[in-house]
Amino acid sequence: MVANKILVIDDSLSVRKQVQAMLPKGNFQVLEAKDGQEGLKLINQERPNLIMLDFLMPKMNGLEVYKQLQSKPELQKIPLVIMSGRREEVLEKIPEPAFNKYFEFILKPFEQKDLIAGIQSAMKKAKLPREAPAPAAATAPAAAPAPAPAPAAADGAGAAEIQALKQQIAKMQAEIEALKKQQAQIMTFIKSKLK
């Protein structure tokens, strides 16, 4: 039985496959959507544990999907990684503080380490308490940021997921280092044969 579902919403098949290939092998299922409409349908049907969202797509873009997610408290809690080749455009549409508080951003093209770091960060951010929308501008927001350290200890399952991901990352990094050494040996061998 699959414990975790990761939804990749991107109009590029190659990016969807790239994300799937970069994810550590584990107890999860990767779902794919080619546009925002299909992605929202899958979000509502499958309730994924993580969403990877392209920002520029046909039919319904990433900004519209993001707004839908933010409008429903039960969907706000799903870790979100927004992917785009244009950071400035994302910042223009989703300005601070939301840009740094509610999701993780990774710049395309990205490497595996960027993807894994983005996922870890998104999982942490999803556990942070959300500030309730202020009924009037006169309310004092100063007290709201204080509870930030508490959520990590509050959710044991989330901490276990993060620990499992850290172990998978450490294993992958060791495998990558071994592959780099093998590649260097192969290149040395090839160069010696070409002389």
Side-chain angles (χ1 to χ4, degrees):
M1 184 172 173
V2 175
N4 298 303
K5 294 176 184 174
I6 296 176
L7 174 59
V8 183
I9 308 172
D10 198 302
D11 57 324
S12 167
L13 176 63
S14 63
V15 170
R16 295 194 310 263
K17 295 301 177 193
Q18 175 191 14
V19 169
Q20 190 167 359
M22 286 182 172
L23 290 169
K25 303 299 175 235
N27 191 22
F28 53 77
Q29 172 186 9
V30 178
L31 307 169
E32 296 180 33
K34 64 182 179 299
D35 59 56
Q37 287 178 345
E38 194 177 296
L40 272 179
K41 186 177 174 186
L42 280 170
I43 290 166
N44 289 313
Q45 286 174 350
E46 301 287 338
R47 294 291 184 196
N49 302 93
L50 173 78
I51 300 168
M52 305 285 301
L53 176 64
D54 183 25
F55 204 68
L56 300 173
M57 292 182 292
K59 292 188 184 176
M60 181 184 281
N61 64 32
L63 177 61
E64 293 171 81
V65 174
Y66 171 77
K67 286 179 179 178
Q68 291 281 332
L69 294 173
Q70 298 311 302
S71 70
K72 298 179 183 168
E74 68 276 12
L75 298 181
Q76 289 178 359
K77 294 177 181 143
I78 301 173
L80 175 66
V81 178
I82 293 182
M83 309 175 287
S84 178
R86 300 180 186 162
R87 181 184 179 92
E88 305 79 31
E89 187 170 349
V90 178
L91 254 173
E92 184 181 303
K93 305 275 198 257
I94 308 174
E96 301 283 356
F99 186 87
N100 280 320
K101 270 187 166 178
Y102 302 140
F103 63 89
E104 188 57 41
F105 175 85
I106 56 174
L107 187 65
K108 287 181 177 179
F110 49 83
E111 294 182 15
Q112 187 177 34
K113 63 180 168 76
D114 303 319
L115 177 69
I116 301 299
I119 289 171
Q120 286 181 326
S121 179
M123 290 175 76
K124 289 177 188 171
K125 288 179 180 182
K127 288 177 177 43
L128 295 174
R130 295 286 178 123
E131 293 176 21
T139 58
D155 188 6
E161 286 178 24
I162 291 171
Q163 186 60 35
L165 273 175
K166 284 182 180 177
Q167 289 173 348
Q168 288 176 338
I169 290 169
K171 182 179 174 186
M172 286 175 38
Q173 286 173 334
E175 290 173 3
I176 289 168
E177 289 304 314
L179 287 171
K180 283 181 182 177
K181 287 179 184 175
Q182 286 179 345
Q183 183 182 15
Q185 290 171 346
I186 291 169
M187 291 304 292
T188 304
F189 177 76
I190 291 171
K191 286 178 184 175
S192 71
K193 293 295 179 186
L194 291 176
K195 288 182 180 178

